[in-house]
PDB file of all heavy atoms in Angstrom:
ATOM      1  N   GLY A  15      -2.431   8.537  -8.448  1.00 91.00           N
ATOM      2  CA  GLY A  15      -2.952   7.787  -9.587  1.00 91.00           C
ATOM      3  C   GLY A  15      -2.689   6.301  -9.468  1.00 91.00           C
ATOM      4  O   GLY A  15      -3.534   5.473  -9.824  1.00 91.00           O
ATOM      5  N   TRP A  16      -1.526   5.959  -8.954  1.00 90.00           N
ATOM      6  CA  TRP A  16      -1.171   4.542  -8.770  1.00 90.00           C
ATOM      7  C   TRP A  16      -2.071   3.884  -7.731  1.00 90.00           C
ATOM      8  O   TRP A  16      -2.499   2.736  -7.910  1.00 90.00           O
ATOM      9  CB  TRP A  16       0.288   4.429  -8.355  1.00 90.00           C
ATOM     10  CG  TRP A  16       0.839   3.032  -8.446  1.00 90.00           C
ATOM     11  CD1 TRP A  16       1.111   2.190  -7.413  1.00 90.00           C
ATOM     12  CD2 TRP A  16       1.191   2.330  -9.635  1.00 90.00           C
ATOM     13  NE1 TRP A  16       1.605   1.003  -7.869  1.00 90.00           N
ATOM     14  CE2 TRP A  16       1.667   1.054  -9.242  1.00 90.00           C
ATOM     15  CE3 TRP A  16       1.145   2.639 -10.995  1.00 90.00           C
ATOM     16  CZ2 TRP A  16       2.097   0.105 -10.160  1.00 90.00           C
ATOM     17  CZ3 TRP A  16       1.575   1.682 -11.914  1.00 90.00           C
ATOM     18  CH2 TRP A  16       2.044   0.435 -11.497  1.00 90.00           C
ATOM     19  N   VAL A  17      -2.354   4.598  -6.643  1.00 89.00           N
ATOM     20  CA  VAL A  17      -3.271   4.076  -5.617  1.00 89.00           C
ATOM     21  C   VAL A  17      -4.661   3.882  -6.217  1.00 89.00           C
ATOM     22  O   VAL A  17      -5.310   2.844  -5.986  1.00 89.00           O
ATOM     23  CB  VAL A  17      -3.332   5.038  -4.408  1.00 89.00           C
ATOM     24  CG1 VAL A  17      -4.446   4.627  -3.446  1.00 89.00           C
ATOM     25  CG2 VAL A  17      -1.991   5.049  -3.679  1.00 89.00           C
ATOM     26  N   PHE A  18      -5.113   4.845  -7.008  1.00 88.00           N
ATOM     27  CA  PHE A  18      -6.429   4.730  -7.645  1.00 88.00           C
ATOM     28  C   PHE A  18      -6.463   3.532  -8.593  1.00 88.00           C
ATOM     29  O   PHE A  18      -7.443   2.779  -8.631  1.00 88.00           O
ATOM     30  CB  PHE A  18      -6.742   6.020  -8.413  1.00 88.00           C
ATOM     31  CG  PHE A  18      -8.054   5.995  -9.134  1.00 88.00           C
ATOM     32  CD1 PHE A  18      -9.254   6.126  -8.440  1.00 88.00           C
ATOM     33  CD2 PHE A  18      -8.099   5.817 -10.524  1.00 88.00           C
ATOM     34  CE1 PHE A  18     -10.476   6.091  -9.109  1.00 88.00           C
ATOM     35  CE2 PHE A  18      -9.313   5.776 -11.192  1.00 88.00           C
ATOM     36  CZ  PHE A  18     -10.502   5.911 -10.481  1.00 88.00           C
ATOM     37  N   LEU A  19      -5.389   3.327  -9.341  1.00 87.00           N
ATOM     38  CA  LEU A  19      -5.302   2.183 -10.250  1.00 87.00           C
ATOM     39  C   LEU A  19      -5.410   0.869  -9.485  1.00 87.00           C
ATOM     40  O   LEU A  19      -6.108  -0.060  -9.905  1.00 87.00           O
ATOM     41  CB  LEU A  19      -3.977   2.230 -11.024  1.00 87.00           C
ATOM     42  CG  LEU A  19      -3.687   1.038 -11.948  1.00 87.00           C
ATOM     43  CD1 LEU A  19      -4.703   1.003 -13.090  1.00 87.00           C
ATOM     44  CD2 LEU A  19      -2.268   1.120 -12.495  1.00 87.00           C
ATOM     45  N   GLY A  20      -4.733   0.792  -8.336  1.00 85.00           N
ATOM     46  CA  GLY A  20      -4.808  -0.415  -7.517  1.00 85.00           C
ATOM     47  C   GLY A  20      -6.209  -0.673  -6.999  1.00 85.00           C
ATOM     48  O   GLY A  20      -6.679  -1.822  -6.978  1.00 85.00           O
ATOM     49  N   LEU A  21      -6.895   0.385  -6.570  1.00 81.00           N
ATOM     50  CA  LEU A  21      -8.269   0.231  -6.079  1.00 81.00           C
ATOM     51  C   LEU A  21      -9.200  -0.242  -7.184  1.00 81.00           C
ATOM     52  O   LEU A  21     -10.064  -1.097  -6.974  1.00 81.00           O
ATOM     53  CB  LEU A  21      -8.760   1.557  -5.493  1.00 81.00           C
ATOM     54  CG  LEU A  21      -8.071   2.026  -4.208  1.00 81.00           C
ATOM     55  CD1 LEU A  21      -8.541   3.432  -3.841  1.00 81.00           C
ATOM     56  CD2 LEU A  21      -8.342   1.065  -3.056  1.00 81.00           C
ATOM     57  N   VAL A  22      -9.045   0.316  -8.386  1.00 81.00           N
ATOM     58  CA  VAL A  22      -9.879  -0.090  -9.524  1.00 81.00           C
ATOM     59  C   VAL A  22      -9.614  -1.543  -9.884  1.00 81.00           C
ATOM     60  O   VAL A  22     -10.541  -2.327 -10.126  1.00 81.00           O
ATOM     61  CB  VAL A  22      -9.619   0.825 -10.743  1.00 81.00           C
ATOM     62  CG1 VAL A  22     -10.296   0.270 -11.991  1.00 81.00           C
ATOM     63  CG2 VAL A  22     -10.111   2.227 -10.456  1.00 81.00           C
ATOM     64  N   PHE A  23      -8.343  -1.941  -9.875  1.00 78.00           N
ATOM     65  CA  PHE A  23      -7.975  -3.311 -10.246  1.00 78.00           C
ATOM     66  C   PHE A  23      -8.579  -4.320  -9.276  1.00 78.00           C
ATOM     67  O   PHE A  23      -9.102  -5.357  -9.692  1.00 78.00           O
ATOM     68  CB  PHE A  23      -6.448  -3.443 -10.258  1.00 78.00           C
ATOM     69  CG  PHE A  23      -5.968  -4.834 -10.593  1.00 78.00           C
ATOM     70  CD1 PHE A  23      -5.898  -5.247 -11.914  1.00 78.00           C
ATOM     71  CD2 PHE A  23      -5.597  -5.713  -9.579  1.00 78.00           C
ATOM     72  CE1 PHE A  23      -5.466  -6.534 -12.215  1.00 78.00           C
ATOM     73  CE2 PHE A  23      -5.169  -6.993  -9.878  1.00 78.00           C
ATOM     74  CZ  PHE A  23      -5.099  -7.398 -11.198  1.00 78.00           C
ATOM     75  N   THR A  24      -8.515  -4.019  -7.985  1.00 72.00           N
ATOM     76  CA  THR A  24      -9.054  -4.953  -6.997  1.00 72.00           C
ATOM     77  C   THR A  24     -10.576  -4.972  -7.003  1.00 72.00           C
ATOM     78  O   THR A  24     -11.187  -5.948  -6.568  1.00 72.00           O
ATOM     79  CB  THR A  24      -8.567  -4.596  -5.584  1.00 72.00           C
ATOM     80  OG1 THR A  24      -8.893  -3.222  -5.295  1.00 72.00           O
ATOM     81  CG2 THR A  24      -7.065  -4.766  -5.472  1.00 72.00           C
ATOM     82  N   ALA A  25     -11.201  -3.879  -7.483  1.00 68.00           N
ATOM     83  CA  ALA A  25     -12.665  -3.812  -7.498  1.00 68.00           C
ATOM     84  C   ALA A  25     -13.272  -4.562  -8.676  1.00 68.00           C
ATOM     85  O   ALA A  25     -14.453  -4.904  -8.660  1.00 68.00           O
ATOM     86  CB  ALA A  25     -13.125  -2.358  -7.525  1.00 68.00           C
ATOM     87  N   ILE A  26     -12.472  -4.839  -9.711  1.00 69.00           N
ATOM     88  CA  ILE A  26     -12.997  -5.537 -10.887  1.00 69.00           C
ATOM     89  C   ILE A  26     -13.283  -6.991 -10.528  1.00 69.00           C
ATOM     90  O   ILE A  26     -12.393  -7.706 -10.054  1.00 69.00           O
ATOM     91  CB  ILE A  26     -11.986  -5.476 -12.048  1.00 69.00           C
ATOM     92  CG1 ILE A  26     -11.764  -4.031 -12.484  1.00 69.00           C
ATOM     93  CG2 ILE A  26     -12.467  -6.322 -13.223  1.00 69.00           C
ATOM     94  CD1 ILE A  26     -10.673  -3.871 -13.517  1.00 69.00           C
ATOM     95  N   PRO A  27     -14.529  -7.467 -10.693  1.00 62.00           N
ATOM     96  CA  PRO A  27     -14.835  -8.858 -10.366  1.00 62.00           C
ATOM     97  C   PRO A  27     -14.089  -9.818 -11.283  1.00 62.00           C
ATOM     98  O   PRO A  27     -13.941  -9.575 -12.475  1.00 62.00           O
ATOM     99  CB  PRO A  27     -16.352  -8.953 -10.580  1.00 62.00           C
ATOM    100  CG  PRO A  27     -16.674  -7.846 -11.520  1.00 62.00           C
ATOM    101  CD  PRO A  27     -15.697  -6.751 -11.209  1.00 62.00           C
ATOM    102  N   ARG A  28     -13.597 -10.912 -10.688  1.00 62.00           N
ATOM    103  CA  ARG A  28     -12.866 -11.907 -11.453  1.00 62.00           C
ATOM    104  C   ARG A  28     -13.818 -13.048 -11.805  1.00 62.00           C
ATOM    105  O   ARG A  28     -14.216 -13.826 -10.943  1.00 62.00           O
ATOM    106  CB  ARG A  28     -11.676 -12.433 -10.632  1.00 62.00           C
ATOM    107  CG  ARG A  28     -10.748 -11.318 -10.170  1.00 62.00           C
ATOM    108  CD  ARG A  28      -9.626 -11.853  -9.321  1.00 62.00           C
ATOM    109  NE  ARG A  28      -8.888 -10.778  -8.680  1.00 62.00           N
ATOM    110  CZ  ARG A  28      -7.848 -10.970  -7.877  1.00 62.00           C
ATOM    111  NH1 ARG A  28      -7.436 -12.191  -7.601  1.00 62.00           N
ATOM    112  NH2 ARG A  28      -7.230  -9.949  -7.326  1.00 62.00           N
ATOM    113  N   ARG A  29     -14.181 -13.136 -13.084  1.00 62.00           N
ATOM    114  CA  ARG A  29     -15.123 -14.143 -13.522  1.00 62.00           C
ATOM    115  C   ARG A  29     -14.375 -15.312 -14.159  1.00 62.00           C
ATOM    116  O   ARG A  29     -13.300 -15.161 -14.718  1.00 62.00           O
ATOM    117  CB  ARG A  29     -16.126 -13.555 -14.516  1.00 62.00           C
ATOM    118  CG  ARG A  29     -16.971 -12.441 -13.936  1.00 62.00           C
ATOM    119  CD  ARG A  29     -18.058 -12.045 -14.897  1.00 62.00           C
ATOM    120  NE  ARG A  29     -19.008 -13.120 -15.122  1.00 62.00           N
ATOM    121  CZ  ARG A  29     -20.045 -13.360 -14.341  1.00 62.00           C
ATOM    122  NH1 ARG A  29     -20.252 -12.602 -13.274  1.00 62.00           N
ATOM    123  NH2 ARG A  29     -20.877 -14.341 -14.604  1.00 62.00           N
ATOM    124  N   SER A  30     -14.974 -16.470 -14.061  1.00 62.00           N
ATOM    125  CA  SER A  30     -14.374 -17.673 -14.617  1.00 62.00           C
ATOM    126  C   SER A  30     -15.480 -18.656 -14.949  1.00 62.00           C
ATOM    127  O   SER A  30     -16.553 -18.634 -14.356  1.00 62.00           O
ATOM    128  CB  SER A  30     -13.400 -18.288 -13.604  1.00 62.00           C
ATOM    129  OG  SER A  30     -12.978 -19.567 -14.046  1.00 62.00           O
ATOM    130  N   GLU A  31     -15.205 -19.529 -15.910  1.00 67.00           N
ATOM    131  CA  GLU A  31     -16.156 -20.582 -16.244  1.00 67.00           C
ATOM    132  C   GLU A  31     -15.950 -21.803 -15.358  1.00 67.00           C
ATOM    133  O   GLU A  31     -16.598 -22.826 -15.554  1.00 67.00           O
ATOM    134  CB  GLU A  31     -15.998 -20.971 -17.722  1.00 67.00           C
ATOM    135  CG  GLU A  31     -16.412 -19.883 -18.694  1.00 67.00           C
ATOM    136  CD  GLU A  31     -17.878 -19.476 -18.520  1.00 67.00           C
ATOM    137  OE1 GLU A  31     -18.724 -20.369 -18.330  1.00 67.00           O
ATOM    138  OE2 GLU A  31     -18.158 -18.266 -18.563  1.00 67.00           O
ATOM    139  N   GLU A  32     -15.039 -21.694 -14.407  1.00 83.00           N
ATOM    140  CA  GLU A  32     -14.681 -22.838 -13.579  1.00 83.00           C
ATOM    141  C   GLU A  32     -15.396 -22.788 -12.231  1.00 83.00           C
ATOM    142  O   GLU A  32     -15.689 -21.722 -11.703  1.00 83.00           O
ATOM    143  CB  GLU A  32     -13.169 -22.878 -13.356  1.00 83.00           C
ATOM    144  CG  GLU A  32     -12.367 -22.941 -14.651  1.00 83.00           C
ATOM    145  CD  GLU A  32     -10.892 -22.748 -14.419  1.00 83.00           C
ATOM    146  OE1 GLU A  32     -10.524 -22.350 -13.286  1.00 83.00           O
ATOM    147  OE2 GLU A  32     -10.105 -22.972 -15.351  1.00 83.00           O
ATOM    148  N   CYS A  33     -15.660 -23.961 -11.692  1.00 91.00           N
ATOM    149  CA  CYS A  33     -16.165 -24.089 -10.322  1.00 91.00           C
ATOM    150  C   CYS A  33     -15.133 -24.890  -9.546  1.00 91.00           C
ATOM    151  O   CYS A  33     -14.716 -25.967  -9.980  1.00 91.00           O
ATOM    152  CB  CYS A  33     -17.519 -24.801 -10.321  1.00 91.00           C
ATOM    153  SG  CYS A  33     -18.267 -24.935  -8.676  1.00 91.00           S
ATOM    154  N   THR A  34     -14.667 -24.362  -8.420  1.00 94.00           N
ATOM    155  CA  THR A  34     -13.599 -25.034  -7.680  1.00 94.00           C
ATOM    156  C   THR A  34     -14.036 -25.353  -6.254  1.00 94.00           C
ATOM    157  O   THR A  34     -14.761 -24.584  -5.621  1.00 94.00           O
ATOM    158  CB  THR A  34     -12.324 -24.167  -7.627  1.00 94.00           C
ATOM    159  OG1 THR A  34     -12.606 -22.942  -6.935  1.00 94.00           O
ATOM    160  CG2 THR A  34     -11.824 -23.841  -9.020  1.00 94.00           C
ATOM    161  N   PHE A  35     -13.555 -26.501  -5.772  1.00 96.00           N
ATOM    162  CA  PHE A  35     -13.698 -26.923  -4.382  1.00 96.00           C
ATOM    163  C   PHE A  35     -12.277 -27.078  -3.845  1.00 96.00           C
ATOM    164  O   PHE A  35     -11.520 -27.924  -4.338  1.00 96.00           O
ATOM    165  CB  PHE A  35     -14.428 -28.268  -4.280  1.00 96.00           C
ATOM    166  CG  PHE A  35     -15.872 -28.240  -4.656  1.00 96.00           C
ATOM    167  CD1 PHE A  35     -16.257 -28.107  -5.994  1.00 96.00           C
ATOM    168  CD2 PHE A  35     -16.864 -28.360  -3.696  1.00 96.00           C
ATOM    169  CE1 PHE A  35     -17.589 -28.092  -6.360  1.00 96.00           C
ATOM    170  CE2 PHE A  35     -18.211 -28.340  -4.048  1.00 96.00           C
ATOM    171  CZ  PHE A  35     -18.566 -28.201  -5.381  1.00 96.00           C
ATOM    172  N   THR A  36     -11.911 -26.274  -2.851  1.00 96.00           N
ATOM    173  CA  THR A  36     -10.575 -26.369  -2.268  1.00 96.00           C
ATOM    174  C   THR A  36     -10.680 -26.900  -0.845  1.00 96.00           C
ATOM    175  O   THR A  36     -11.266 -26.247   0.028  1.00 96.00           O
ATOM    176  CB  THR A  36      -9.862 -25.009  -2.270  1.00 96.00           C
ATOM    177  OG1 THR A  36      -9.857 -24.482  -3.596  1.00 96.00           O
ATOM    178  CG2 THR A  36      -8.426 -25.160  -1.790  1.00 96.00           C
ATOM    179  N   PHE A  37     -10.099 -28.088  -0.629  1.00 97.00           N
ATOM    180  CA  PHE A  37     -10.063 -28.702   0.697  1.00 97.00           C
ATOM    181  C   PHE A  37      -8.785 -28.207   1.372  1.00 97.00           C
ATOM    182  O   PHE A  37      -7.684 -28.663   1.041  1.00 97.00           O
ATOM    183  CB  PHE A  37     -10.057 -30.228   0.595  1.00 97.00           C
ATOM    184  CG  PHE A  37     -11.317 -30.806   0.004  1.00 97.00           C
ATOM    185  CD1 PHE A  37     -11.579 -30.716  -1.359  1.00 97.00           C
ATOM    186  CD2 PHE A  37     -12.243 -31.466   0.814  1.00 97.00           C
ATOM    187  CE1 PHE A  37     -12.739 -31.251  -1.913  1.00 97.00           C
ATOM    188  CE2 PHE A  37     -13.406 -32.002   0.281  1.00 97.00           C
ATOM    189  CZ  PHE A  37     -13.654 -31.890  -1.089  1.00 97.00           C
ATOM    190  N   LEU A  38      -8.922 -27.252   2.290  1.00 96.00           N
ATOM    191  CA  LEU A  38      -7.749 -26.654   2.930  1.00 96.00           C
ATOM    192  C   LEU A  38      -7.129 -27.608   3.946  1.00 96.00           C
ATOM    193  O   LEU A  38      -7.833 -28.385   4.602  1.00 96.00           O
ATOM    194  CB  LEU A  38      -8.127 -25.339   3.609  1.00 96.00           C
ATOM    195  CG  LEU A  38      -8.611 -24.218   2.691  1.00 96.00           C
ATOM    196  CD1 LEU A  38      -8.896 -22.963   3.493  1.00 96.00           C
ATOM    197  CD2 LEU A  38      -7.587 -23.927   1.602  1.00 96.00           C
ATOM    198  N   ALA A  39      -5.815 -27.523   4.080  1.00 95.00           N
ATOM    199  CA  ALA A  39      -5.088 -28.355   5.048  1.00 95.00           C
ATOM    200  C   ALA A  39      -5.095 -27.660   6.402  1.00 95.00           C
ATOM    201  O   ALA A  39      -4.181 -26.900   6.738  1.00 95.00           O
ATOM    202  CB  ALA A  39      -3.663 -28.598   4.565  1.00 95.00           C
ATOM    203  N   VAL A  40      -6.126 -27.912   7.196  1.00 94.00           N
ATOM    204  CA  VAL A  40      -6.285 -27.262   8.499  1.00 94.00           C
ATOM    205  C   VAL A  40      -5.975 -28.219   9.649  1.00 94.00           C
ATOM    206  O   VAL A  40      -6.255 -27.918  10.803  1.00 94.00           O
ATOM    207  CB  VAL A  40      -7.703 -26.691   8.664  1.00 94.00           C
ATOM    208  CG1 VAL A  40      -7.960 -25.583   7.672  1.00 94.00           C
ATOM    209  CG2 VAL A  40      -8.763 -27.790   8.536  1.00 94.00           C
ATOM    210  N   GLY A  41      -5.381 -29.370   9.339  1.00 92.00           N
ATOM    211  CA  GLY A  41      -5.151 -30.362  10.387  1.00 92.00           C
ATOM    212  C   GLY A  41      -6.411 -31.179  10.622  1.00 92.00           C
ATOM    213  O   GLY A  41      -7.194 -31.421   9.713  1.00 92.00           O
ATOM    214  N   HIS A  42      -6.592 -31.608  11.875  1.00 92.00           N
ATOM    215  CA  HIS A  42      -7.781 -32.394  12.218  1.00 92.00           C
ATOM    216  C   HIS A  42      -8.970 -31.451  12.339  1.00 92.00           C
ATOM    217  O   HIS A  42      -9.235 -30.869  13.381  1.00 92.00           O
ATOM    218  CB  HIS A  42      -7.561 -33.140  13.533  1.00 92.00           C
ATOM    219  CG  HIS A  42      -8.681 -34.085  13.861  1.00 92.00           C
ATOM    220  ND1 HIS A  42      -8.654 -35.409  13.508  1.00 92.00           N
ATOM    221  CD2 HIS A  42      -9.860 -33.898  14.486  1.00 92.00           C
ATOM    222  CE1 HIS A  42      -9.769 -36.002  13.916  1.00 92.00           C
ATOM    223  NE2 HIS A  42     -10.519 -35.088  14.506  1.00 92.00           N
ATOM    224  N   GLY A  43      -9.652 -31.267  11.247  1.00 93.00           N
ATOM    225  CA  GLY A  43     -10.772 -30.342  11.189  1.00 93.00           C
ATOM    226  C   GLY A  43     -11.299 -30.332   9.779  1.00 93.00           C
ATOM    227  O   GLY A  43     -11.211 -31.337   9.063  1.00 93.00           O
ATOM    228  N   GLY A  44     -11.827 -29.218   9.352  1.00 94.00           N
ATOM    229  CA  GLY A  44     -12.327 -29.159   7.995  1.00 94.00           C
ATOM    230  C   GLY A  44     -12.639 -27.763   7.536  1.00 94.00           C
ATOM    231  O   GLY A  44     -13.118 -26.927   8.309  1.00 94.00           O
ATOM    232  N   CYS A  45     -12.344 -27.494   6.275  1.00 96.00           N
ATOM    233  CA  CYS A  45     -12.768 -26.254   5.625  1.00 96.00           C
ATOM    234  C   CYS A  45     -12.668 -26.468   4.121  1.00 96.00           C
ATOM    235  O   CYS A  45     -11.573 -26.676   3.593  1.00 96.00           O
ATOM    236  CB  CYS A  45     -11.920 -25.062   6.038  1.00 96.00           C
ATOM    237  SG  CYS A  45     -12.510 -23.517   5.286  1.00 96.00           S
ATOM    238  N   VAL A  46     -13.815 -26.450   3.470  1.00 97.00           N
ATOM    239  CA  VAL A  46     -13.868 -26.567   2.017  1.00 97.00           C
ATOM    240  C   VAL A  46     -14.358 -25.228   1.472  1.00 97.00           C
ATOM    241  O   VAL A  46     -15.427 -24.756   1.852  1.00 97.00           O
ATOM    242  CB  VAL A  46     -14.818 -27.695   1.570  1.00 97.00           C
ATOM    243  CG1 VAL A  46     -14.793 -27.834   0.047  1.00 97.00           C
ATOM    244  CG2 VAL A  46     -14.431 -29.014   2.231  1.00 97.00           C
ATOM    245  N   VAL A  47     -13.548 -24.625   0.614  1.00 97.00           N
ATOM    246  CA  VAL A  47     -13.892 -23.333   0.008  1.00 97.00           C
ATOM    247  C   VAL A  47     -14.407 -23.589  -1.403  1.00 97.00           C
ATOM    248  O   VAL A  47     -13.699 -24.146  -2.244  1.00 97.00           O
ATOM    249  CB  VAL A  47     -12.675 -22.393  -0.035  1.00 97.00           C
ATOM    250  CG1 VAL A  47     -13.058 -21.059  -0.682  1.00 97.00           C
ATOM    251  CG2 VAL A  47     -12.133 -22.157   1.361  1.00 97.00           C
ATOM    252  N   ILE A  48     -15.647 -23.196  -1.647  1.00 96.00           N
ATOM    253  CA  ILE A  48     -16.283 -23.407  -2.944  1.00 96.00           C
ATOM    254  C   ILE A  48     -16.405 -22.056  -3.646  1.00 96.00           C
ATOM    255  O   ILE A  48     -16.972 -21.109  -3.101  1.00 96.00           O
ATOM    256  CB  ILE A  48     -17.678 -24.038  -2.779  1.00 96.00           C
ATOM    257  CG1 ILE A  48     -17.585 -25.324  -1.946  1.00 96.00           C
ATOM    258  CG2 ILE A  48     -18.311 -24.329  -4.135  1.00 96.00           C
ATOM    259  CD1 ILE A  48     -18.917 -25.848  -1.471  1.00 96.00           C
ATOM    260  N   GLN A  49     -15.858 -21.970  -4.860  1.00 94.00           N
ATOM    261  CA  GLN A  49     -15.934 -20.745  -5.653  1.00 94.00           C
ATOM    262  C   GLN A  49     -16.709 -21.038  -6.939  1.00 94.00           C
ATOM    263  O   GLN A  49     -16.360 -21.950  -7.684  1.00 94.00           O
ATOM    264  CB  GLN A  49     -14.539 -20.238  -5.997  1.00 94.00           C
ATOM    265  CG  GLN A  49     -13.711 -19.817  -4.784  1.00 94.00           C
ATOM    266  CD  GLN A  49     -12.268 -19.563  -5.149  1.00 94.00           C
ATOM    267  OE1 GLN A  49     -11.406 -20.418  -4.986  1.00 94.00           O
ATOM    268  NE2 GLN A  49     -11.995 -18.368  -5.667  1.00 94.00           N
ATOM    269  N   THR A  50     -17.745 -20.263  -7.175  1.00 92.00           N
ATOM    270  CA  THR A  50     -18.586 -20.474  -8.343  1.00 92.00           C
ATOM    271  C   THR A  50     -18.165 -19.546  -9.471  1.00 92.00           C
ATOM    272  O   THR A  50     -17.495 -18.529  -9.228  1.00 92.00           O
ATOM    273  CB  THR A  50     -20.067 -20.226  -7.993  1.00 92.00           C
ATOM    274  OG1 THR A  50     -20.244 -18.834  -7.718  1.00 92.00           O
ATOM    275  CG2 THR A  50     -20.492 -21.038  -6.778  1.00 92.00           C
ATOM    276  N   PRO A  51     -18.563 -19.847 -10.709  1.00 87.00           N
ATOM    277  CA  PRO A  51     -18.185 -18.978 -11.830  1.00 87.00           C
ATOM    278  C   PRO A  51     -18.710 -17.551 -11.709  1.00 87.00           C
ATOM    279  O   PRO A  51     -18.133 -16.632 -12.288  1.00 87.00           O
ATOM    280  CB  PRO A  51     -18.802 -19.690 -13.040  1.00 87.00           C
ATOM    281  CG  PRO A  51     -18.891 -21.119 -12.633  1.00 87.00           C
ATOM    282  CD  PRO A  51     -19.206 -21.087 -11.167  1.00 87.00           C
ATOM    283  N   ASP A  52     -19.819 -17.361 -10.971  1.00 85.00           N
ATOM    284  CA  ASP A  52     -20.355 -16.001 -10.830  1.00 85.00           C
ATOM    285  C   ASP A  52     -19.840 -15.308  -9.571  1.00 85.00           C
ATOM    286  O   ASP A  52     -20.486 -14.435  -9.009  1.00 85.00           O
ATOM    287  CB  ASP A  52     -21.882 -16.019 -10.837  1.00 85.00           C
ATOM    288  CG  ASP A  52     -22.457 -16.884  -9.726  1.00 85.00           C
ATOM    289  OD1 ASP A  52     -21.677 -17.574  -9.047  1.00 85.00           O
ATOM    290  OD2 ASP A  52     -23.684 -16.876  -9.531  1.00 85.00           O
TER     291      ASP A  52
END
């Protein structure tokens, strides 16, 4: 039951009204992760 609860929890989509741009610290390079509210 606990394993099933964990699977259900991770399957629930996490919604937010926020839009985020994360500039990761990858050294001399680049990676920007954009997360939308949907």
Side-chain angles (χ1 to χ4, degrees):
W16 193 254
V17 171
F18 178 75
L19 176 66
L21 292 173
V22 170
F23 178 82
T24 55
I26 297 174
R28 304 178 191 180
R29 298 188 65 85
S30 171
E31 293 301 318
E32 302 170 349
C33 183
T34 62
F35 291 73
T36 306
F37 295 74
L38 296 182
V40 295
H42 187 93
C45 183
V46 183
V47 180
I48 306 167
Q49 296 170 263
T50 68
D52 58 353

